[in-house]
């Protein structure tokens, strides 16, 4: 299904500044990015965990897709732990790899480093789409080409999403072309960013250093609404597709510093 002809040239994942190439070991991909202010938590000056998850999704999702061909792969879950501040201007290297790939599931890891020191790790799980129409061809060469190098963000994550705060801990995002994927549903990184937006909209300061997202269903109608609630040092977020009978699309947990 050709759904790209009417897409804007600059979309959510193409504005995140990640350059992708062949990794240092077989079956790995290497990503490089300089942290831009637009990709950071407002007033904290450190990168948003949702951006790390999105970069991990690009790297390891591309690897997992090679395992599921001719079916397209789908993200089941992504999680990230930040162990050292990743500040504006830092040059970050990311290596995505397959940990295990079976008949049904593929498990991945992405390691983020600054000057060879590990600053964050992400784990992910992918599965082949069960829908017969969700087929694809290998995109490995395209992903690792110079033409795939993404652009510097032209706006903050909040602006790219178009998110708005309805009340403390509740944000809403319209289903807009800028955040859609190949299947015409909201991209997983945008879902993670919306969940993070809800955490940041809670009363009281919080700088998330851990973020886990379980993807339960696609956001097909919109708007997407994320609702965060505190429990101790953790925050739990539900992301729902309001226009699709308020269907639960994702559940996320975050922990702040």
């Amino acid at each position: 299904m050709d759904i790209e002809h009417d897409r804007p040239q600059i979309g959510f994942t193409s504005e995140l500044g990640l350059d992708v190439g062949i990794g240092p070991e077989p079956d790995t991909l290497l990503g490089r990015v300089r942290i831009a202010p637009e990709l950071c938590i407002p007033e904290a000056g450190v990168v948003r965990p949702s951006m790390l998850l999105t970069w991990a999704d690009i790297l390891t999702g591309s690897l997992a897709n090679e395992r599921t061909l001719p079916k397209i792969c789908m993200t089941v879950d992504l999680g990230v732990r930040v162990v050292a501040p990743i500040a504006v201007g830092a040059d970050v290297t990311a290596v995505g790899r397959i940990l295990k790939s079976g008949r049904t599931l593929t498990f991945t890891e992405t390691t983020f480093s600054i000057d060879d020191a590990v600053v964050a790790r992400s784990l992910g799980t992918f599965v082949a789409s069960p829908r017969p129409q969700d087929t694809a061809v290998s995109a490995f060469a395209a992903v690792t080409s110079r033409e795939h190098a993404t652009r510097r963000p032209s706006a903050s994550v909040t602006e790219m999403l178009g998110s708005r705060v309805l009340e403390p801990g509740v944000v809403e995002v319209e289903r807009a072309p800028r955040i859609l994927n190949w299947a015409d549903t909201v991209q997983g990184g945008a879902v993670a960013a919306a969940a993070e937006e809800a955490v940041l909209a809670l009363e009281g300061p919080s700088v998330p250093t851990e973020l886990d997202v379980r993807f339960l269903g696609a956001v097909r109608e919109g708007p997407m609404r994320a609702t965060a609630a505190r429990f101790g040092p953790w925050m739990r977020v539900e992301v729902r597709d309001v226009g699709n009978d308020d269907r639960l699309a994702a559940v996320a947990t975050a922990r702040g510093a």
Side-chain angles (χ1 to χ4, degrees), residues 218-235:
V219 178
R220 300 185 183 279
E221 300 295 333
M224 173 172 61
R225 183 177 296 165
T227 304
R230 294 186 186 274
F231 63 105
W234 293 89
M235 283 73 70

Side-chain angles (χ1 to χ4, degrees), residues 86-142:
I86 305 174
V88 173
D91 290 315
V92 177
T93 299
V95 177
R97 56 175 46 86
I98 301 292
L99 296 179
K100 182 180 179 180
S101 187
R103 180 174 297 180
T104 304
L105 298 175
T106 298
F107 303 93
T108 68
E109 181 180 51
T110 305
T111 303
F112 297 90
S113 304
I114 299 176
D115 295 329
D116 296 324
V118 175
V119 292
R121 290 188 191 275
S122 172
L123 295 174
T125 309
F126 298 85
V127 65
S129 173
R131 304 196 314 170
Q133 67 267 38
D134 292 346
T135 60
V137 297
S138 175
F140 199 83

Side-chain angles (χ1 to χ4, degrees), residues 19-36:
D19 293 334
V20 181
I22 300 298
E25 302 168 5
D27 291 331
T28 64
L29 283 178
L30 176 68
R32 289 191 174 92
V33 62
R34 174 165 290 181
I35 303 302

Side-chain angles (χ1 to χ4, degrees), residues 183-225:
D184 224 22
T185 61
V186 175
Q187 203 271 341
V191 174
E196 187 179 67
E197 285 279 280
V199 169
L200 296 174
L202 286 167
E203 293 180 339
S206 179
V207 179
T209 57
E210 300 181 23
L211 180 64
D212 290 274
V213 184
R214 303 291 185 268
F215 298 95
L216 308 178
V219 178
R220 300 185 183 279
E221 300 295 333
M224 173 172 61
R225 183 177 296 165

Side-chain angles (χ1 to χ4, degrees), residues 25-107:
E25 302 168 5
D27 291 331
T28 64
L29 283 178
L30 176 68
R32 289 191 174 92
V33 62
R34 174 165 290 181
I35 303 302
E38 294 86 351
L39 305 180
C40 291
I41 297 171
E43 301 179 2
V46 294
V47 73
R48 299 173 62 134
S50 64
M51 295 300 95
L52 297 173
L53 284 188
T54 304
W55 291 324
D57 197 26
I58 293 170
L59 294 173
T60 59
S62 299
L63 292 169
N65 194 63
E66 295 298 304
R67 303 303 197 278
T68 62
L69 289 173
K71 291 294 189 69
I72 196 78
C73 78
M74 300 172 62
T75 311
V76 176
D77 57 62
L78 284 168
V80 67
R81 304 289 183 273
V82 180
V83 297
I86 305 174
V88 173
D91 290 315
V92 177
T93 299
V95 177
R97 56 175 46 86
I98 301 292
L99 296 179
K100 182 180 179 180
S101 187
R103 180 174 297 180
T104 304
L105 298 175
T106 298
F107 303 93

